[in-house]
């Protein structure tokens, strides 16, 4: 299917069927979030995307932890270029922009994520630059929330992030201590109790710095 057509349909669905919701852990940030009336599952099926998890539709625990860490440590981002790696809803990139980053790139392999991230950024009065080229843009800091949720994803994402860290980029990871989290490569920076995927019960999540060493 033409990507332009999918982008327009995704824009219309997200903006029309997923209301903005202020996040309990960051009430200064609101994102388009599905409700039982949104029909997200049916819409995904109608687009042939029912095998794709809609990571872009929710605030996840690792991203929530990063959003809180950036609120608490804005000096890390002041005047710097940031990459939101695996942006999903754009939450982490929005939090980075709010913390004073000079420029925020956002990248995600899911074709719907850039649409959701752009709409959420606009709703929060900030700008995200969506990266759609091979490789990664130059950035001083990479923020990666919820990118280690199974072994296959770790095998794909960890080498990319390790290469960036070894080249001198500061890489921060947000994750709710999932089983596949490569703790031997991480330094714990902060811990938070946050919601995950819109759940009512909080999960324990943390922010880590990735060791800048070769694999």
């Amino acid at each position: 299917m033409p990507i332009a057509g999918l982008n327009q349909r995704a824009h219309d669905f997200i903006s029309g069927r997923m209301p903005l919701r202020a996040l309990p852990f960051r009430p200064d940030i609101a994102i388009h979030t599905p409700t039982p009336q949104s029909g997200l599952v049916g819409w995904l099926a109608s687009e042939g995307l029912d095998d794709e998890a809609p990571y872009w539709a929710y605030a996840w625990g690792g991203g929530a932890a990063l959003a809180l860490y950036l609120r608490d440590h804005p000096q890390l981002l002041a005047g710097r270029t940031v990459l939101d790696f695996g942006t999903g809803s754009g939450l982490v990139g929005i939090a980075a922009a709010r913390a004073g980053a000079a420029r925020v790139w956002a990248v995600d392999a899911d074709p719907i994520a850039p649409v959701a991230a752009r709409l959420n950024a606009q709703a929060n009065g900030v700008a995200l630059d969506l990266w759609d080229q091979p490789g990664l843009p130059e950035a001083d800091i990479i923020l990666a929330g919820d990118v280690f949720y199974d072994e296959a994803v770790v095998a794909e994402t960890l080498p990319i992030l390790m290469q960036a860290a070894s080249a001198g980029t500061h890489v921060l990871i947000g994750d709710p201590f999932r089983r596949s989290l490569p703790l031997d490569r991480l330094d714990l920076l902060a811990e938070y109790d946050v919601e995950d995927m819109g759940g009512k019960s909080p999960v324990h999540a943390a922010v880590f710095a990735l060791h800048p060493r070769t694999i």
Side-chain angles (χ1 to χ4, degrees), residues 39-179:
L40 175 59
V41 173
W43 182 80
L44 290 170
S46 73
E47 294 291 347
L49 299 172
D50 40 331
D51 290 334
E52 303 291 333
Y55 299 114
W56 47 267
Y58 302 95
W60 294 77
L66 278 168
L68 291 174
Y69 188 78
L70 299 180
R71 179 201 64 187
D72 296 341
H73 301 85
Q75 71 279 2
L76 295 175
L77 301 185
R80 301 203 175 172
T81 300
V82 174
L83 170 62
D84 181 6
F85 181 85
T87 189
S89 67
L91 166 61
V92 176
I94 292 166
R98 286 282 179 86
R103 185 174 194 178
V104 181
W105 290 104
V107 64
D108 200 294
D110 189 306
I112 308 301
V115 181
R118 184 177 288 112
L119 281 168
N120 288 329
Q122 291 172 351
N124 287 276
V126 300
L128 300 182
D129 292 317
L130 281 302
W131 180 261
D132 60 359
Q133 304 299 317
L136 299 179
E138 291 188 9
D140 303 306
I141 299 173
I142 293 178
L143 306 170
D146 306 286
V147 298
F148 295 137
Y149 49 86
D150 63 37
E151 294 294 342
V153 174
V154 172
E156 181 178 351
T157 59
L158 183 58
I160 296 171
L161 296 175
M162 287 295 297
Q163 182 178 14
S166 297
T169 303
H170 190 39
V171 180
L172 296 181
I173 306 296
D175 196 276
F177 293 95
R178 293 187 178 90
R179 183 178 302 176

Side-chain angles (χ1 to χ4, degrees), residues 21-24 26-31 67 91 94-96 98 120 124:
R21 169 179 175 261
L23 299 172
R26 282 290 306 259
D28 59 318
I29 295 176
I31 67 170
L91 166 61
I94 292 166
R98 286 282 179 86
N120 288 329
N124 287 276

